[in-house]
Amino acid sequence: MNMRTKRNNITGFVFVSMGSSVRASGMPEALRQIFVAAFATLPYNIVWKWEGMKIKDLPPNVRTAAWWPQQELLGHAKLRAFVSHGGLLSLHEAAYHGAPTLVLPVFCDHDGNAAQAGIFILRIT
């Protein structure tokens, strides 16, 4: 996967996935617009797991698909960050690959998983 854009000749990407239990396309429209606006300001490509209809106002640095090979992306040398819901498997995979991760807990055990991951990182640094 070529992660170089014409915009500022940047390299690297951010992978955004809410796992299999949370459909990103189910988020409120106002929140989706905030995500898209934030993505447009980033100096990276965005690889977004999006299961819904095509988004009309996507910036040129955003690619969406209903499925992405998460293990491959988390282990990719050009990965700059992983935005996750905080599911246990996603956090284990991110830790295995050493992927910098931002957790946006949605429900269930997500907030507890995020807290435990933060404690673990503090202990090893």
Side-chain angles (χ1 to χ4, degrees), residues 48-71:
W48 190 8
K49 183 177 177 284
W50 178 265
E51 311 84 356
M53 304 282 282
K54 184 176 179 180
I55 301 172
K56 295 177 184 173
D57 58 345
L58 274 183
N61 65 322
V62 179
R63 299 175 190 173
T64 62
W67 183 86
W68 292 99
Q70 182 162 304
Q71 286 280 1

Side-chain angles (χ1 to χ4, degrees), residues 27-35:
M27 72 174 62
E29 177 62 17
L31 183 57
R32 185 199 63 79
Q33 289 176 3
I34 291 169
F35 270 65

Side-chain angles (χ1 to χ4, degrees), residues 82-104:
F82 174 41
V83 179
S84 171
H85 65 308
L88 192 57
L89 186 55
S90 291
L91 291 180
H92 279 258
E93 292 170 349
Y96 175 81
H97 290 289
T101 304
L102 170 65
V103 178
L104 305 173

Side-chain angles (χ1 to χ4, degrees), residues 20 39 49 59 100 107 124:
S20 59
F39 294 160
K49 183 177 177 284
F107 61 82
I124 63 172

Side-chain angles (χ1 to χ4, degrees), residues 30-47:
L31 183 57
R32 185 199 63 79
Q33 289 176 3
I34 291 169
F35 270 65
V36 169
F39 294 160
T41 68
L42 296 176
Y44 303 110
N45 287 308
I46 308 299
V47 177

